[in-house]
Amino acid sequence: MPSIRATSAAALLSAAALLSCSLTACTPVAQDGSQGGGGGTATTGPDEGRFWKQSLDWKDCPAPSLLQGGGEAPALLSDGTRWQCATLQAPLDWKKPSGESVGIELIRARSSGDAKDRIGSLLFNFGGPGGSGVTLLPALASDYEKLRSRYDLVSFDPRGVGNSRGVRCLDAGSGDEDRVDATPDDGADEIDALVAFHRETVAACEKNSGDVLPHVGTTETARDMDLMRHVLGDDKLHYFGISYGTSLGGVYAHLFPENVGRAVLDAVVDPTLDAMEKALGQAGGFQLAFEHFAAWCVERGCALGDDVAEIVETAVELEADLDDAPLTTSDGSELDGDAFLAAIVGALYKQDYWPALLVGLEAVANDNGDIMLDLAKALSQHRFDDASNRNDAFRAITCDDSSDRYTVADVEERMAEFVKTSPLFGPLLAWGLLACDGWPVPGEAEHPEVSAPGAPPILLVGNTGDPATPYEGAARMAERLGKGVGFELTYKGEGHGAYNSGNACVRNAVDAYLLDGKLPKSGAVCEAEPLPEGK
C-alpha cells in the first residue's frame, strides 16, 4: 500500500484525520500570494540563486532513521544498482529565501537503460501526506522496474516528513493515545478526553516543531519539486503521484504548467471539496468497498451473514462490542474497536487482503481477536511498532493546507449524516475532523487550486472501487486542471489506487505514456481480474 493507510489508536486519533481530512492538501494560492497559473522555468532573485546553483552529493543510502520508520538500508536492485541518497537545500520559507534553509532528503536509482534512451528523472510521491518517499521507493521499486529503463527513479521526504525536518509532536510510544476513544459514544467524558488529546497533541507540535510548522504546506513542497527538477538537470518534471501525491501534482501543475513533463496521477484526490465534504465522501467510499467485500463474502457462503446488509450490521455490532469490552489476544494484547476498524480499513486497500479479512472477522465473531490484531499491525501504522513521524506530519501538512477548523458542535450537527452514509466508518471519519482545531498556523483555503492552462496532458487513473479516494475525484480533477490537460483512464477494480494493483491493462497504459508519450484512447477502461478460486 504505497499511499495513506489506516491506523489504530494513535493513528486513528491523529488520522481519523488521515481519513477524515481526506488525504488532500488544500493549497489554492502560491506562497507569494499570486494565483499561479504562469510558470515555465522558475525565475530566481539573488537570494534564491544559491539554491538553484547547488549540486547534489549522492552517496550510498544509510539505514532509514526512526523518523523515516527505521529498518535496514535499502538492498541492491536486481541488476546490482545501488540506491543513492542526497540532501537538497531549499528555503525554509519560499517567501524569504534569504533566510534559513531546510534539507530535503532524496533517494534515487539510476536508469537501467542506455544513456541515449534516458528521458530524465521520474519523481514519485506515494501519498499521505506524511509518508517517507526515501523508504517507500525502495520497498516498491519492483513495481516500477520497467519505468527505470528510461528514467532515474527518484523520491523524497517532503518538508516536515522523515529526515526533511520531520515534525514531531507527542513522544512516540508514550501511551497517551491509549486513554482515548477515536469514536466516542459513551457520553461527554469520552468526547472531552478526545478533545483534550487533540489539544495536547497540537500544543506538543507547536512546542517541539514550531519553527517548521508554518512551512510544511503543499505549495512550498511543490516549489521544492521545481527546485528538484532543476537541480536534477531536467527541463521538465516527469512525475508519478499517488493519493495525496495527486493533489501535490495538481498544485505543481498550477504553479508551473510550462514545466510539466509526462505526469501520472493515480488514486485521484477530489480538489473541489472542503474537509467535511471529503470526509463524507470517504465514508461513502469505505462503506462501498466494505459492501463489495461483503457481496464477495456472500458468494462464498461465509458465516458472517446471508446478505450484504446483515454482514454490515454484524461488523457494526462487533466494533461496538469491542469498544465496550476488548478481546484479549493470545499474547496478552487487546483488540479494541479502534484496532478492529484499523484492520478492516487496511484490508480494504487491496483486494488481495480480503481472504485474510474474512478469516479475521469470522474469528472475532467467535471471540478470537488474534488475526484481526495481526492485520491491524501489519496493514496500519499501529501504535506498537510505528516510530516514524508520518502521523505528526500528516496533521501538520493537512492543517497548514486546509482553512477548515471544526468543533465538537460541528461534528455533532452532521453526525447523523455520517452514520447514514456509513454506519461502520462514519463516526470515525466525523470525529477525525477535530484534528485541526486550535492549529497554530492559519490554513490556506478549503481546497487546492489546480487549474493548469497550458500544461501538457496529465494522465489521471481513477478506480471505481477505491475506498480512500472515490472514483468521482478523477473527473473533478480533470475538469479543474482544464480542457486538454486532464486525461482519464478508468479502472473497474477494488482497492486504493490502480497501478500497484498489478492489473496489466492499467500498467501497460501508464507505462506507454511515461515511456513513449502515448495516451490511451479517450474513455479507456481497464477491468480487474476476479480473485482466484480458493481465495
Side-chain angles (χ1 to χ4, degrees):
M1 296 183 292
S3 54
I4 66 152
R5 302 186 188 185
T7 60
S8 174
L12 283 171
L13 295 167
S14 68
L18 179 145
L19 299 174
S20 70
C21 293
S22 199
L23 323 174
T24 172
C26 309
T27 49
V29 295
Q31 291 284 16
D32 60 7
S34 71
Q35 292 297 314
T41 300
T43 57
T44 62
D47 291 331
E48 289 184 39
R50 61 190 172 112
F51 297 107
W52 294 83
K53 294 176 182 178
Q54 69 183 294
S55 58
L56 297 173
D57 183 17
W58 293 101
K59 297 180 180 178
D60 288 351
C61 292
S65 69
L66 287 179
L67 284 180
Q68 292 174 315
E72 302 293 328
L76 301 180
L77 290 162
S78 58
D79 63 356
T81 297
R82 294 179 177 274
W83 290 97
Q84 298 177 314
C85 289
T87 302
L88 176 84
Q89 295 297 324
L92 177 63
D93 183 348
W94 273 99
K95 291 182 291 187
K96 299 177 181 178
S98 61
E100 186 180 354
S101 65
V102 59
I104 308 297
E105 293 298 299
L106 305 178
I107 188 168
R108 76 174 178 184
R110 300 303 298 266
S111 172
S112 61
D114 293 335
K116 62 182 178 59
D117 295 324
R118 182 180 177 275
I119 296 171
S121 298
L122 181 61
L123 187 65
F124 289 82
N125 182 281
F126 298 100
S132 167
V134 173
T135 59
L136 281 169
L137 182 57
L140 300 168
S142 60
D143 289 336
Y144 307 107
E145 185 59 26
K146 186 173 182 179
L147 298 176
R148 197 165 68 90
S149 65
R150 300 198 68 188
Y151 292 99
D152 295 345
L153 304 184
V154 181
S155 192
F156 63 108
D157 287 357
R159 52 177 59 216
V161 176
N163 284 2
S164 298
R165 290 286 289 275
V167 171
R168 192 42 113 181
C169 300
L170 295 174
D171 292 337
S174 66
D176 291 336
E177 69 278 0
D178 293 336
R179 70 175 189 268
V180 297
D181 184 352
T183 57
D185 55 5
D186 287 338
D189 288 346
E190 281 195 348
I191 295 173
D192 290 346
L194 179 61
V195 170
F197 176 81
H198 281 305
R199 289 177 178 171
E200 181 182 352
T201 303
V202 168
C205 294
E206 187 171 18
K207 177 182 177 181
N208 295 329
S209 300
D211 57 340
V212 76
L213 289 188
H215 309 296
V216 298
T218 297
T219 295
E220 300 220 38
T221 296
R223 293 193 176 281
D224 293 341
M225 286 180 12
D226 202 56
L227 178 60
M228 292 176 208
R229 172 198 60 78
H230 175 80
V231 174
L232 289 167
D234 292 331
D235 292 331
K236 303 289 184 180
L237 181 77
H238 307 294
Y239 179 73
F240 200 138
I242 303 167
S243 195
Y244 160 80
T246 68
S247 187
L248 176 59
V251 171
Y252 179 88
H254 172 69
L255 294 173
F256 307 104
E258 296 178 15
N259 291 355
V260 175
R262 296 175 186 173
V264 173
L265 307 182
D266 183 10
V268 184
V269 169
D270 189 333
T272 69
L273 307 177
D274 65 25
M276 183 75 77
E277 294 166 335
K278 289 165 191 161
L280 272 170
Q282 278 202 316
F286 276 96
Q287 185 70 25
L288 178 65
F290 187 77
E291 289 174 0
H292 288 175
F293 160 80
W296 169 82
C297 184
V298 170
E299 290 175 1
R300 293 174 53 90
C302 69
L304 296 172
D306 294 329
D307 56 33
V308 169
E310 187 176 349
I311 292 173
V312 170
E313 184 178 356
T314 296
V316 171
E317 291 175 352
L318 288 173
E319 189 277 333
D321 291 343
L322 290 167
D323 202 31
D324 292 334
L327 281 176
T328 300
T329 59
S330 59
D331 66 356
S333 302
E334 287 189 339
L335 177 75
D336 57 17
D338 290 348
F340 179 79
L341 285 178
I344 296 176
V345 171
L348 293 178
Y349 271 65
K350 193 169 184 179
Q351 192 175 16
D352 289 349
Y353 302 143
W354 285 9
L357 176 60
L358 171 56
V359 174
L361 287 170
E362 290 179 338
V364 171
N366 290 305
D367 297 326
N368 185 332
D370 287 12
I371 294 172
M372 287 297 278
L373 188 59
D374 287 344
L375 284 174
K377 292 179 179 180
L379 301 180
S380 70
Q381 302 158 22
H382 197 277
R383 65 179 180 260
F384 295 147
D385 54 16
D386 183 26
S388 79
N389 84 315
R390 73 187 80 189
N391 293 316
D392 293 340
F394 175 89
R395 187 190 294 259
I397 296 167
T398 299
C399 297
D400 271 19
D401 285 346
S402 175
S403 61
D404 296 313
R405 301 290 186 260
Y406 297 105
T407 65
V408 170
D410 296 322
V411 173
E412 291 181 331
E413 181 181 355
R414 301 291 293 272
M415 182 60 73
E417 189 176 356
F418 274 88
V419 173
K420 181 179 179 180
T421 300
S422 175
L424 185 56
F425 305 106
L428 169 66
L429 287 154
W431 287 114
L433 290 165
L434 299 178
C436 294
D437 186 26
W439 191 250
V441 179
E444 290 201 35
E446 288 185 342
H447 52 75
E449 176 57 72
V450 298
S451 62
I458 296 174
L459 181 58
L460 311 177
V461 188
N463 179 356
T464 59
D466 196 314
T469 51
Y471 172 67
E472 295 78 12
R476 291 170 184 160
M477 176 70 83
E479 181 181 3
R480 286 298 174 93
L481 285 169
K483 186 176 181 180
V485 180
F487 193 97
E488 291 182 72
L489 170 67
T490 293
Y491 172 54
K492 291 186 176 180
E494 305 293 341
H496 185 41
Y499 190 87
N500 280 4
S501 72
N503 182 267
C505 174
V506 172
R507 288 210 172 181
N508 289 340
V510 171
D511 291 349
Y513 182 54
L514 289 175
L515 295 174
D516 302 313
K518 297 178 180 178
L519 285 166
K521 293 180 180 180
S522 180
V525 176
C526 292
E527 300 270 0
E529 296 289 336
L531 282 176
E533 289 295 326
K535 284 194 173 183

